[in-house]
């Protein structure tokens, strides 16, 4: 197993357990303690954990943000299940417009859309501000890419031109990713420019579907870009509970569990 693969697995275990010990990781990954300590040091430098005596704990930060290629490997099983459940919400004879937000869960959904409608001649109108999503879909179905300055971290077009372009649209469906989903703070994300684009997407769409694995529940990232009441559906790998479940119900948000 390469260092990157080990580090992705460590990040996944931390997300699941909140803390891990060096001994647990040595047994789990079948490597030496010294190798694990180097991996933990690298992950700490990347802002993904804090080392403690004998192991590490998950770092909860309102501003920490993983690059898209790293996020694609985190909670991968959950994200694929969420994408499949989200795709099932689109009728097979749907010929309207779909705006797909940037992100790893939405990218997984985009792949399914491309596979379903690729080369059929009757695909929905697909719009995105995510360069990676546009690239993966363009060989399968027509896709409209909204321009702007592309953030290297996520591959998303951002900026005032991007926001203005989104505001001229009225897509039938928008699929949006989040970094946090909270009863009191709503939908949130770390970057101000991406928050502005996400807010414009939610405002523009006739119906908004949020894709969020359970690790996003009760999290509050730096910037709230929409209240829960602006959302029609939340698709996740696990049903929310407690205050978040109550707030979603009060806002009339439908929950779909993958």
């Amino acid at each position: 197993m390469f260092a990157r693969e080990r580090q992705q697995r460590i990040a996944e275990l931390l997300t699941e357990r909140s803390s891990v010990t060096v001994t647990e990781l040595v047994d789990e990954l079948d490597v030496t303690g010294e190798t694990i300590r180097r991996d933990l040091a690298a992950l700490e430098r990347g802002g993904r954990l804090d080392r403690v005596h004998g192991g590490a704990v998950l770092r909860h930060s309102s501003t920490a943000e993983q690059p898209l290629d790293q996020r694609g490997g985190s909670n991968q099983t959950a994200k694929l299940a969420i994408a499949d459940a989200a795709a099932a919400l689109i009728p097979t004879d749907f010929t309207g417009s779909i705006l797909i937000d940037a992100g790893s869960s939405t990218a997984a959904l985009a792949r399914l859309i491309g596979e379903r409608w690729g080369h059929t001649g009757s695909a929905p109108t697909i719009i995105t501000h995510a360069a990676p999503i546009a690239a993966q879909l363009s060989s399968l179905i027509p896709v409209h890419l909204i321009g702007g300055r592309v953030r290297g971290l996520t591959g998303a077009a951002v900026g005032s031109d991007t926001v203005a372009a989104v505001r001229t649209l009225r897509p039938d469906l928008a699929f949006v990713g989040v970094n946090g989903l909270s009863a009191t703070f709503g939908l949130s994300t770390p970057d101000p420019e991406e928050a502005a684009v996400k807010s414009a997407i939610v405002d523009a769409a006739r119906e908004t579907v949020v894709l969020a694995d359970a690790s996003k529940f009760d999290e509050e990232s730096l910037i709230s870009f929409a209240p829960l009441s602006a959302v029609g559906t939340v698709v996740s790998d696990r049903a929310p509970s407690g205050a978040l479940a109550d707030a979603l119900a009060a806002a009339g948000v439908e929950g779909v569990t993958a």
Side-chain angles (χ1 to χ4, degrees), residues 170-192:
R170 184 69 72 208
D172 295 304
L173 273 174
F175 291 95
V176 177
V178 298
N179 294 77
L181 192 65
S182 162
T184 56
F185 203 55
L187 286 60
S188 58
T189 198
D191 183 73

Side-chain angles (χ1 to χ4, degrees), residues 2 4 16 30 90 93 95 119 126 155 167 197 211 257:
F2 294 110
R4 182 175 175 181
E16 295 169 5
D30 194 25
I90 309 171
D93 58 350
T95 57
H119 310 298
I126 305 298
R167 287 178 175 162
V197 177
L211 278 58
T257 303

Side-chain angles (χ1 to χ4, degrees), residues 107-163:
L109 169 64
R111 283 193 294 274
L112 294 178
I113 291 173
E115 290 167 4
R116 179 191 294 184
W117 278 286
H119 310 298
T120 63
S122 59
T125 299
I126 305 298
I127 308 156
T128 186
H129 70 115
I133 289 176
Q136 78 174 11
L137 285 180
S138 60
S139 63
L140 297 171
I141 58 176
V143 57
H144 302 270
L145 177 62
I146 299 171
R149 180 181 63 80
V150 177
R151 288 189 73 214
L153 197 65
T154 61
V158 296
S160 58
D161 290 344
T162 309
V163 171

Side-chain angles (χ1 to χ4, degrees), residues 1-216:
M1 184 180 289
F2 294 110
R4 182 175 175 181
E5 295 174 310
R6 284 197 313 273
Q7 290 165 19
Q8 287 181 345
R9 181 56 182 153
I10 291 169
E12 290 171 2
L13 291 170
L14 269 170
T15 300
E16 295 169 5
R17 305 175 186 175
S18 296
S19 66
V20 291
T21 67
V22 171
T23 301
E24 288 172 344
L25 295 174
V26 165
D27 292 339
E28 180 88 23
L29 301 174
D30 194 25
V31 293
T32 66
E34 186 59 31
T35 297
I36 292 299
R37 281 185 279 272
R38 284 198 299 269
D39 287 337
L40 294 179
L43 289 165
E44 185 176 52
R45 288 193 298 272
R48 302 177 72 180
L49 57 79
D50 290 310
R51 283 187 293 173
V52 296
H53 181 69
V57 295
L58 183 66
R59 178 177 296 180
H60 292 282
S61 171
S62 64
T63 57
E65 190 173 11
Q66 296 176 12
L68 185 61
D69 61 347
Q70 293 181 12
R71 276 190 277 165
S74 300
N75 299 327
Q76 185 70 2
T77 301
K79 289 177 181 180
L80 291 174
I82 289 166
D84 191 57
L89 298 176
I90 309 171
T92 54
D93 58 350
F94 184 78
T95 57
S97 52
I98 301 173
L99 203 166
I100 304 176
D101 183 25
S104 53
S105 293
T106 51
L109 169 64
R111 283 193 294 274
L112 294 178
I113 291 173
E115 290 167 4
R116 179 191 294 184
W117 278 286
H119 310 298
T120 63
S122 59
T125 299
I126 305 298
I127 308 156
T128 186
H129 70 115
I133 289 176
Q136 78 174 11
L137 285 180
S138 60
S139 63
L140 297 171
I141 58 176
V143 57
H144 302 270
L145 177 62
I146 299 171
R149 180 181 63 80
V150 177
R151 288 189 73 214
L153 197 65
T154 61
V158 296
S160 58
D161 290 344
T162 309
V163 171
V166 172
R167 287 178 175 162
T168 66
L169 304 173
R170 184 69 72 208
D172 295 304
L173 273 174
F175 291 95
V176 177
V178 298
N179 294 77
L181 192 65
S182 162
T184 56
F185 203 55
L187 286 60
S188 58
T189 198
D191 183 73
E193 289 188 304
E194 288 215 29
V197 177
K198 289 175 183 288
S199 180
I201 290 172
V202 173
D203 288 344
R206 299 183 193 278
E207 183 177 354
T208 298
V209 179
V210 169
L211 278 58
D213 64 75
S215 70
K216 311 296 173 54

